[in-house]
Each structure stands twice: as C-alpha cells, then as structure tokens.
Amino acid sequence: MPDSRVPRRRRFLVCEPRHFAVQYAINPWMRPDEPVDVIRALDQWQALVDTYRAHGHTVDTVKPVPGLPDMVFAANAAVVVEGRVFGSLFHAPERRPESVPYEAWFKAEGFEVYHPESVCEGEGDLVQAGRWILAGTGFRTTREAHREVQEFFGLPVISLTLVDPYFYHLDTALFVLDDDNVAYYPEAFSPGSREVLARLYPDAVIATREDAMAFGLNSVSDGRHVFVSPGATALADQLAERGYAPVPVDLSEFHKAGGGIKCCTQEIRENRS
C-alpha cells in the first residue's frame, strides 16, 4: 500500500510514574502482592515521552502526587474536545483524589473544567471519533455520564457496553485510528454494541484476544503512526497492511495495573478534528 497516511501533530498530557505502585485491586490485572519495578516503569514512561516528541508531538506533564499510585494514567483524568474539558469522577474511591491535581493543571493552562455529576473516567471510556464520541460503559463510566457528555460538547455520543472485566475501559478494547476508522476487539462488547460498531466501521481493524490481552488496543494513533504494544504482533501486521506505521513502545510494567500506552496519555484537543 502506498505511503498515503498523514500524521497530525498532537498535544499530550502525561504524569511521571514516580509514585506508581499496585496498592489495591480494582480490575483483574491488579495484584497488590506482585511487586512493581518503579525504575523500569520510569524508564518505559520516559521512552514513551521521547518517542512522542521524536514524532513531532507536544508533551506536557502534570506533577505526580504522593499517595496517588494510579495518577500516571493521565487518560482517565478528563476528555478534552475543542479546548473544552470534561473532568472526571472516578468509580473507585481510591482514585477520586486524582481529579484535583489534574483540574488544577488545566485551570493553570487557561481551561475551564466541567465537573461531572455521574461517574466518568475521562478518555478511559470516552474518545472523539470524527463527528461523534464513542463512549464505554459497563464497569466504570455510567450511561448518565454519556448524557452529560453529549449535553456538554453538543456532539452525538455512541454508547457501547463492555462485558469482559479484563477490558474494563473502552480504551483497553478499542482505539481510534483516524476520523474515519477504529481498531477493536469485538468480544469485549455486548452483542448490540458489536453490531453498532460493525455498522459504523465496516472496514475496522479487528484484533484477536491475544493482541487485546497484550494491550494492543491501548494504543495511540496520530493518523499515520500508531504507538502500540510490542506484544500485539498480529495487530501491528494488520496496521502496516492498511498503510499505518506501527511504533512499538514497551509499557509492560504498567500492565500490572491494567494500563498501557493510551492509559498514560491524555490528548488535549484544542481545535476541531
């Protein structure tokens, strides 16, 4: 396939995993008795930041807070569309304090932040996909939050129900390739949601369970380059066949907490896609 995919420069917000640990279990990946190598996590995270910058993207950082081991998962803090920030209200009490430092960062940057009334976990379950927002529910973000999001942004919200606890956030089961297409693992979704996705994206990249379990769908795409888990080899092959350029980045230390590349990456969309 000719090299016709065009990358778009992005602005990302990340948080250094200085205090990263698995201190509680709120998803099937988390085992508090399994130690985390913080030095390895820091090295992997820095490699991700360096890779983004090497591909022309802007990366901002929010200061980590002691006692918030999951704060590294910046995607869960908010969803930003056209410079408008819809904040978070975490499902787990352990994570709710994370909203405060992220809100402070956005306000310091001149953004106004909307406080959701319903449980909502940012880009973990909400992602702009061209003319609409794809929204996950079933384990974390509620359908009531989906309605809040639609009212706030004025964009159609497509609700998708997640059914497999290993894929507890939408961003573990699906990622947006560009304004017109996505990659996803069908069995992570309810039958009706699978039908919706098949209708919306008849040419979607379909991942295997093996690639999904390797956090292959917790990826970030700039429209050409796809920053993807090196363990998702079949998915990377499919992407290359479609004209995308897979960029493997190893964040395996973060898999111990149920996170990967996208979980560590908040996208700040300041202009219309």
Side-chain angles (χ1 to χ4, degrees):
M1 177 176 287
D3 185 10
S4 59
R5 303 288 181 185
V6 179
R8 181 165 62 86
R9 289 190 177 183
R10 308 295 177 99
R11 182 184 181 189
F12 298 133
L13 178 63
V14 299
C15 180
E16 183 186 36
R18 193 182 313 162
H19 309 296
F20 176 58
V22 178
Q23 297 177 347
Y24 43 77
I26 57 174
N27 66 57
W29 302 93
M30 302 180 84
R31 295 180 175 85
D33 58 342
E34 182 176 350
V36 167
D37 187 334
V38 177
I39 300 301
R40 185 166 185 251
L42 283 163
D43 288 344
Q44 290 182 344
W45 177 87
Q46 188 61 55
L48 176 65
V49 171
D50 292 345
T51 301
Y52 282 151
R53 288 176 172 155
H55 285 79
H57 303 302
T58 299
V59 182
D60 294 313
T61 58
V62 61
K63 185 177 179 180
V65 176
L68 299 180
D70 282 339
M71 193 176 164
V72 63
F73 299 127
N76 303 152
V79 57
V80 185
V81 177
E82 296 178 22
R84 306 184 71 199
V85 181
F86 189 100
S88 63
L89 177 60
F90 286 92
H91 179 267
E94 295 92 338
R95 296 198 65 186
R96 290 195 172 183
E98 294 175 34
S99 299
V100 176
Y102 278 104
E103 179 177 335
W105 186 91
F106 279 113
K107 287 184 175 180
E109 290 291 309
F111 295 93
E112 293 185 9
V113 182
Y114 173 85
H115 298 279
E117 297 177 2
S118 307
V119 170
C120 181
E121 300 202 352
E123 282 194 318
D125 278 321
L126 300 158
V127 60
Q128 185 179 9
R131 295 170 295 169
W132 49 66
I133 292 174
L134 299 177
T137 191
F139 297 100
R140 302 290 183 84
T141 301
T142 65
R143 286 187 179 273
E144 289 76 18
H146 293 184
R147 289 191 281 271
E148 281 189 74
V149 167
Q150 181 165 284
E151 289 300 313
F152 181 72
F153 289 120
L155 290 172
V157 170
I158 311 296
S159 292
L160 302 168
T161 301
L162 298 160
V163 296
D164 186 326
Y166 279 97
F167 308 108
Y168 58 94
H169 271 155
L170 182 66
D171 71 1
T172 63
L174 176 152
F175 72 95
V176 172
L177 286 162
D178 48 45
D179 284 349
D180 301 313
N181 209 2
V182 302
Y184 69 101
Y185 171 54
E187 283 70 30
F189 298 91
S190 68
S193 295
R194 290 200 297 269
E195 186 171 349
V196 168
L197 287 168
R199 289 174 182 271
L200 291 178
Y201 301 106
D203 298 319
V205 175
I206 303 300
T208 64
R209 184 173 183 84
E210 290 73 22
D211 282 342
M213 292 292 285
F215 287 82
L217 294 169
N218 197 242
S219 296
V220 171
S221 172
D222 65 13
R224 169 166 163 69
H225 307 103
V226 179
F227 305 93
V228 61
S229 167
T233 54
L235 177 61
D237 289 344
Q238 283 198 74
L239 293 170
E241 290 170 3
R242 301 287 191 99
Y244 298 96
V247 181
V249 184
D250 181 16
L251 258 65
S252 54
E253 199 62 23
F254 297 94
H255 297 181
K256 295 176 180 179
I261 293 170
K262 176 56 194 170
C263 288
C264 292
T265 309
Q266 166 71 232
E267 182 175 350
I268 303 174
R269 297 174 178 85
E270 297 179 274
N271 300 307
R272 185 176 296 276
S273 298

